[in-house]
Amino acid sequence: MTTYLIIIIANILIGGMIGLTGVAGFLLPILYSGFMGMPTAQALALSFFAFLISGVLGAWNYYKAKNLDLRLAVMISLGSLIGAVIGVRLNLLIDEAIVKKILYTVVLLSGISILLRKDNAEGTDKMTGASDSAKLISAPVCIFFGFVTGAICSLSGAGGPVLVMPLLVVLEIPVKTAVGVALFDSVFIAIPSCIGYSMQCDILSIGGILTVSLISHAAGVWAGSKNTAFIKPEILKKGVAVFSIILAIIKLITG
């Protein structure tokens, strides 16, 4: 019962943070493999099933709130789908510690860039949620961006938004639009990751844990993504930046 209680509370809290900021999914693999001692493949399978749920629910709420640029999201997701397939396969070949260092170095630099960047007008089209900056990013660049981030996130278990969201903000995408796009993109990272990591473990043996985690995670994401209007974009952006920097420094020091 204690295990289930920990999983429920953790998924509600982490899901809520994902719904609000797009950042926090990386905590699930840490919870399952680091704190609970699960095998890596099992931990990643559980995590990516949760990311699939959070991506679908979160992206839907951001779309209804007109904070999702579909053109940008679809282009990035096309690249992420391919990158995620490769990332899962590379998981068996590359030292995970090296990938983690690359990931958190990028997160650190992204967070610093967000803090140093001067505040600009959001420039959001109220009808589509698309920013002027998003319209200037070409399709090949979006696909390549998605491919690289998808491969890194599926390989490391980061989920997607922790890397995609800060980088989009650096590219001057409005913060709420960046969260919406990152959540949409996480669905396409999660699909091949769920399949790949489930094939590396006995997913049926953790059916109870999986069910409980998905329900509690869904509740957290839904609540978080429905309450984004109560947080000002600049406060959200700075909060994500500080959180990303602190996390990256801790992970780079501790490994």
Side-chain angles (χ1 to χ4, degrees):
M1 290 301 296
T2 302
T3 297
Y4 280 92
L5 183 61
I6 292 173
I7 291 174
I8 291 172
I9 294 174
N11 273 279
I12 289 176
L13 294 176
I14 294 172
M17 287 190 285
I18 291 176
L20 282 172
T21 68
V23 177
F26 57 87
L27 295 175
L28 281 180
I30 294 175
L31 168 70
Y32 291 132
S33 62
F35 181 73
M36 303 185 72
M38 293 184 180
T40 300
Q42 193 177 81
L44 292 177
L46 286 170
S47 298
F48 277 107
F49 271 110
F51 299 152
L52 180 60
I53 295 296
S54 61
V56 172
L57 294 180
W60 174 247
N61 280 335
Y62 273 81
Y63 174 75
K64 291 196 297 182
K66 302 188 185 303
N67 288 319
L68 175 59
D69 183 339
L70 280 177
R71 175 213 172 253
L72 181 63
V74 170
M75 289 296 101
I76 291 176
S77 297
L78 287 175
S80 292
L81 184 64
I82 301 171
V85 173
I86 295 176
V88 173
R89 295 185 66 86
L90 287 176
N91 182 269
L92 301 175
L93 304 174
I94 299 178
D95 186 350
E96 187 177 342
I98 296 177
V99 179
K100 292 284 187 180
K101 289 182 179 180
I102 295 174
L103 170 66
Y104 289 111
T105 298
V106 174
V107 171
L108 174 63
L109 295 176
S110 297
I112 293 174
S113 298
I114 293 171
L115 284 181
L116 295 179
R117 183 175 296 279
K118 293 182 179 180
D119 296 339
N120 296 317
E122 287 290 298
T124 302
D125 183 333
K126 294 181 180 180
M127 295 301 295
T128 64
S131 69
D132 294 334
S133 298
K135 295 175 182 177
L136 295 175
I137 304 176
S138 66
V141 171
C142 289
I143 294 173
F144 179 74
F145 175 90
F147 175 81
V148 174
T149 54
I152 293 175
C153 291
S154 63
L155 171 60
S156 64
V162 67
L163 183 58
V164 174
M165 187 272 178
L167 290 178
L168 288 177
V169 174
V170 169
L171 294 173
E172 299 186 347
I173 304 301
V175 64
K176 289 186 179 180
T177 301
V179 175
V181 170
L183 287 169
F184 184 96
D185 177 56
S186 67
V187 174
F188 295 86
I189 296 175
I191 291 173
S193 299
C194 287
I195 296 172
Y197 291 121
S198 293
M199 293 174 63
Q200 297 179 35
C201 66
D202 183 7
I203 198 69
L204 294 178
S205 67
I206 53 172
I209 292 177
L210 177 61
T211 301
V212 168
S213 67
L214 293 185
I215 293 174
S216 54
H217 192 78
V221 171
W222 186 262
S225 59
K226 290 287 285 185
N227 290 284
T228 57
F230 296 103
I231 299 181
K232 293 182 179 180
E234 290 307 318
I235 295 177
L236 180 60
K237 182 170 66 175
K238 299 301 182 183
V240 169
V242 171
F243 186 74
S244 299
I245 291 171
I246 293 174
L247 167 76
I249 292 175
I250 291 174
K251 294 302 295 181
L252 286 171
I253 292 176
T254 63

